[in-house]
Structures are given as C-alpha cells and as structure tokens.
Amino acid sequence: MAAARAAVRPALRLLLSHGLAPRYAPPCPPQPARAGSVNIRSPCGGVRSGSHVRSCESGAGVVGEDAEEPEEEEELLSREPLLPAAAQRVCVLHPDVRGRAGRKAHDTEYQVAEAAALVRALHGWSVVRTLVVPTGVPDSKFVFGKGNFQELTEKIKGSVDITCVFLNVERMTALTKKTLQTAWGVHVLDRFTVVLHIFRCNARTKEARLQLALAEIPLLRSTLSSCSAQPDQQGRGSRYIMGSGESSTELCQRALKEKEAKIRRALVRLQEKRSVLRKQRLRREFPIVSVVGYTNCDVTAHAGLLPSCMPVLYMDTIGFLSQLPHSLIQSFSTTLEDVVLSDVILHVRDMSHPNTEQQKASVLSTLQGLQLRPALLNSMLEVHNKVDLVPGYRPPGHHVPAVSALLGHGLDKLKATLEESVLQATGRRVLTLCLRLGGPQLCWLYKEAKVQQVQELPNTDMAHVTVIISQATYGRFRKLFPE
C-alpha cells in the first residue's frame, strides 16, 4: 500500500497544481496570477503596451462580461504560475542558426532585442547578459554543438548573476529543457512559456483566460510524456492506482483530456454569447473600431463617444507579436473575429521603438492573414504615438495623426480624424434638416439618429436640425415622413 501511495503522489501533485484533481481528491484553491508590467487598454480606457493611447471620452467598461463565472469555469482557470515566483536575473541566449533561408543581417539583433523586451515585461525581471551563439543543430537535445555547449555551460555556471536562461526558441522539448537545466543548474525558459505567461498576467476577459488555459494544455501534455518516458523505479505493481488498471501518467493524461474538452465547451458558450452581442451591435448600428498594435494582450470592448457625441465601440485585439508561437495563434484565432467585422481599424504605433518598422510589418502580416475586406485594410488609420520621445520627428503627412498620450498632445486631432474615418466607412452623413419643433420627425430623429444641434428660426415654430445619420436610417426617415 505504501508503494502504491508513493507511485501516485507525484501524479496527484501535478493534477492538483493545474486544477485537474480527480473526483476523490480535494480541489486546489485558486492561485492568483502574478501581476505583470504590461499595461493594455483600449483608446477609451487608457494606456496600452508599446502604444499608449488615452481616452476618447469613453463611457462604459467591458461589454458582455458576466458578473460571476460558473463554478466549473473558475476551476478551469485555477492554475499555478508558469514561471518562477521570484524575480529573476536572466541571460538571453539566442541560437543563431547557420544557413537559414531568407536571413537578413539585422534579423538577429532585432530578435535578441525583442527577447530582452519580453523578459523586462515581467515584473522585477532583468536581463544581465545576452549571448548569440551559432548553431547548426538547433533541433538536437543540446541545441548547440558540443564545443559551443561546453563553453556556454562554463559561462552560465561561472556567473553568479544569472539565475535563469531565456532560450530564444519557440518551443523546447521536455527532454531538452531537463537536459539544459541539469547542465546549467538554473531555470531554462522558451519563448512559448514566457509569452504565454505575459498574456496570462494581462488577460482580463473570461474568453482570453480560457484561451490561455487551452493553449497551456500541450505544454502540460509534453511534460507528462517526458515523465512517462522514464523507467518506473517502483516496478509494475506500483504503476497502477488502487486496482483501477490506470497508471498515474494515464490518469493525468485522461484528466488533461477532460479539462481540454471542458474548456472547449466553455469557449463555445462564450462565442455564442459574443455572436448574440455582435448581432445586437449591428442592429443598433454601433460603429466598431478595432484597435490593433504591437503586443496587444487582451480582448476587451469599450463604449466611447467621438467629438460629435456619436457612440462607437472600441475593440482591443490580441496576438500582434512577431514570431508568435503557432499554437497561440491557433488558440486566439476566434478573438480576431471582431477585426473582420469592424468598420475601422486603428493601428497604434510606438514611434520611439528602434524597431518600429518591423513591428508594423508584424501587425500588417497578421491582418493580411485574416483575409480582410480590401476596403477595410486599405482604409486603416495609422497613429504615431510617443512622438515626444523622437527628436526631430516629422509626420509623414496630414493623414497620419501624431500624438503623445502621456502629454495629451494631438489627441483632439486623432479623435477628429477617427470620426471622419468612421463616417466615411459606415456611410453616415451630416445633414441639416428644416423641421417643425415638437413634431414627430424631431422626436424620431432623437431616438434613431444623433442630433447634433437644433437652431430655432425666429418668429416660427421651425428649426434647422443638424444630425448624423446612416443612409439606411435616413431612408427609413424619408419613408415614414415623406416631404
């Protein structure tokens, strides 16, 4: 019996640490995610990472979120942090693959700088060293050749400042991770784990958090596969749990499969809700502005008002990061649906970043992959932010608003330009009509359109009424009240 308990104990720890406890085990209490330093909000909500845009006279907060989450979904979202809890001093290690097709001279420098930026996005973490090491065997267990690996081991083990290594590859196998950590004596992280943790720290909506939980399943599954590949030191009799016929690894794999199915069902329910909300928005003719920019980390909807007091919805979107791990792209594909259905795309760029052009290319590449309507993509409004940090900055033209969200410069022009784009994209018109005061026409317009101004005409019961109205709404108005 003692042997059986010893065999199952590691499996139970893994189950409990990721909210996968079997029915007979006590549930693990929710673990709060450690707050990160990446701040993402829509232009109606405040600051965003890399592209800080302030309020457009916003109204309500997140649209369509339930006040409480079902108990089952709370359990699905209860999990341990992916990274060490304490702040780390990190060595960024970039494998420079020799003979890679399409490689450019500046690519390595850009990739290393971005890896360092990802590390610094973690609260309290710092980069103490960067190493670029050539390799011709990036898919091997050691990633590097024998000589380079030995030299790396001496450097890392000989530096007391290094407490963690960020290997700038998309994914490490569990065997590679274990091999490197054993050789170097420190935590070794890949790009997938770091990006997933940053997204998790900044996810606010239920759907984004569930998408992250779904993206984490392959990571847990590969860890289990690595553990199951090791010989069972307890012998065959201890591999099975209380006569169930299942080994501890098989139990964990089954629990992971059940959790994945539950997450997918929860996401389907949320997507159905989003579809209903989207139909309501379309029925009410709310213009939708999708806000895109580099390193967006959440999916939120905020109500706002343009200078004419026309209500709009700002949709933040997720997934704009160069070399975003492929499995994360798949997990977040549904969160980009609102971009496809939006009226205007607002692309906010950080002009102070040394690689702002590469960041723009990453965003455009993601958008082009969505097969957007040509008119929507071609009419995208680009905004240059943080221009106060760029000495001698000169805007490329009148059509590109230049702002400093921190100082509040240029925001009025941005809002006016955005309103002009929304009016053009949605077919709305600014009309001045001569109507009778107190008549049914004016009451109808107040309800169905946006009345801007009512200027009474002297000595009459008439007024000049300025309204913002869509073509469809104006057609209904003329049908109800023919001249």
Side-chain angles (χ1 to χ4, degrees):
M1 195 65 180
R5 283 196 297 268
V8 77
R9 194 172 293 121
L12 289 178
R13 279 200 297 270
L14 180 61
L15 292 170
L16 290 170
S17 67
H18 294 285
L20 296 173
R23 281 188 284 270
Y24 54 82
C28 177
Q31 299 291 331
R34 179 162 52 84
S37 60
V38 182
N39 298 316
I40 306 295
R41 297 180 197 167
S42 79
C44 300
V47 178
R48 67 188 300 110
S49 171
S51 39
H52 302 335
V53 176
R54 290 259 174 89
S55 170
C56 295
E57 301 178 27
S58 64
V62 176
V63 175
E65 286 294 297
D66 294 336
E68 296 181 359
E69 297 180 351
E71 183 178 349
E72 178 183 292
E73 293 177 7
E74 279 287 2
E75 292 179 0
L76 293 175
L77 296 171
S78 301
R79 54 202 189 277
E80 293 285 341
L82 291 168
L83 305 185
Q88 301 290 316
R89 300 184 300 277
V90 181
C91 171
V92 173
L93 176 56
H94 180 75
D96 193 17
V97 183
R98 295 191 293 263
R100 185 172 52 195
R103 177 181 173 186
K104 297 180 181 178
H106 64 276
D107 283 353
T108 298
E109 181 181 351
Y110 171 58
Q111 291 166 3
V112 171
E114 184 176 80
L118 288 173
V119 171
R120 295 189 183 102
L122 299 168
H123 181 65
W125 289 42
S126 60
V127 176
V128 296
R129 193 167 187 179
T130 58
L131 296 173
V132 178
V133 181
T135 179
V137 287
D139 297 326
S140 69
K141 180 173 68 172
F142 296 97
V143 183
F144 304 95
K146 184 176 180 180
N148 282 337
F149 182 78
Q150 183 176 352
E151 184 179 347
L152 272 173
T153 301
E154 293 173 358
K155 287 181 179 179
I156 293 171
K157 295 186 73 171
S159 177
V160 295
D161 289 338
I162 297 174
T163 63
C164 182
V165 172
F166 176 21
L167 184 64
N168 195 25
V169 298
E170 180 174 323
R171 285 287 296 274
M172 287 185 293
T173 65
L175 179 59
T176 295
K177 180 181 178 72
K178 182 179 179 182
T179 301
L180 298 182
Q181 290 187 157
T182 301
W184 297 340
V186 294
H187 291 287
V188 181
L189 309 172
D190 57 21
R191 189 180 180 89
F192 177 87
T193 308
V194 171
V195 171
L196 184 61
H197 186 82
I198 291 173
F199 279 4
R200 187 202 274 185
C201 288
N202 292 277
R204 297 293 178 265
T205 65
K206 188 191 304 181
E207 183 174 15
R209 293 161 64 200
L210 285 170
Q211 291 282 12
L212 286 165
L214 182 63
E216 191 177 329
I217 295 292
L219 190 64
L220 302 177
R221 190 168 284 135
S222 65
T223 302
L224 278 178
S225 299
S226 174
C227 294
S228 64
Q230 301 176 9
D232 192 341
Q233 298 178 356
Q234 298 293 336
R236 179 176 176 82
S238 63
R239 290 178 63 243
Y240 298 94
I241 300 175
M242 299 178 185
S244 67
E246 286 186 303
S247 67
S248 58
T249 300
E250 289 169 342
L251 177 65
C252 291
Q253 291 284 14
R254 181 163 60 85
L256 277 176
K257 188 175 181 179
E258 291 175 356
K259 178 177 181 179
E260 182 178 12
K262 290 179 180 178
I263 292 174
R264 292 188 184 278
R265 287 197 297 269
L267 283 170
V268 168
R269 291 195 298 269
L270 287 176
Q271 287 162 13
E272 289 172 350
K273 290 182 181 179
R274 288 182 68 213
S275 179
V276 171
L277 290 172
R278 188 180 292 122
K279 290 178 181 178
Q280 291 176 351
R281 294 198 299 263
L282 292 174
R283 187 166 59 249
R284 296 173 183 173
E285 296 185 338
F286 281 136
I288 299 173
V289 178
S290 287
V291 184
V292 304
Y294 199 73
T295 66
N296 299 24
C297 291
D298 204 1
V299 183
T300 57
H302 298 268
L305 296 176
L306 293 176
S308 64
C309 295
M310 178 171 57
V312 294
L313 285 178
Y314 296 96
M315 303 296 297
D316 264 349
T317 50
I318 196 167
F320 297 94
L321 181 70
S322 75
Q323 300 178 1
L324 185 69
H326 186 68
S327 54
L328 284 181
I329 294 176
Q330 291 178 326
S331 294
F332 290 110
S333 60
T334 58
T335 65
L336 296 174
E337 291 176 355
D338 286 303
V339 179
V340 179
L341 299 173
S342 61
D343 297 297
V344 173
I345 298 176
L346 183 67
H347 178 197
V348 186
R349 294 180 56 190
D350 177 2
M351 300 308 295
S352 68
H353 196 283
N355 296 309
T356 182
E357 292 299 327
Q358 291 92 329
Q359 291 181 347
K360 175 182 178 180
S362 293
V363 172
L364 293 181
S365 175
T366 304
L367 291 174
Q368 289 165 357
L370 297 176
Q371 299 181 339
L372 301 174
R373 307 186 309 275
L376 177 60
L377 191 59
N378 295 336
S379 63
M380 179 170 59
L381 179 61
E382 183 176 302
V383 183
H384 288 185
N385 187 35
K386 298 188 181 180
V387 296
D388 55 307
L389 301 179
V390 183
Y393 170 84
R394 299 185 65 179
H398 180 74
H399 62 287
V400 179
V403 305
S404 168
L406 182 64
L407 302 178
H409 294 166
L411 296 182
D412 289 338
K413 180 183 177 181
L414 168 59
K415 290 184 283 188
T417 305
L418 179 58
E419 179 171 83
E420 182 180 340
S421 298
V422 169
L423 288 173
Q424 183 174 354
T426 59
R428 282 170 165 78
R429 305 165 60 186
V430 180
L431 297 177
T432 300
L433 305 173
C434 187
L435 302 175
R436 188 178 302 278
L437 288 171
Q441 296 94 331
L442 185 56
C443 294
W444 192 91
L445 287 174
Y446 267 110
K447 181 179 179 181
E448 301 293 337
K450 194 65 185 178
V451 177
Q452 296 293 99
Q453 185 182 28
V454 177
Q455 185 177 5
E456 297 184 19
L457 299 178
N459 303 320
T460 70
D461 60 349
M462 306 293 289
H464 285 155
V465 179
T466 303
V467 296
I468 295 179
I469 189 168
S470 70
Q471 189 65 37
T473 304
Y474 184 63
R476 295 201 307 271
F477 175 78
R478 282 302 175 205
K479 187 176 181 178
L480 288 171
F481 309 105
E483 294 181 345

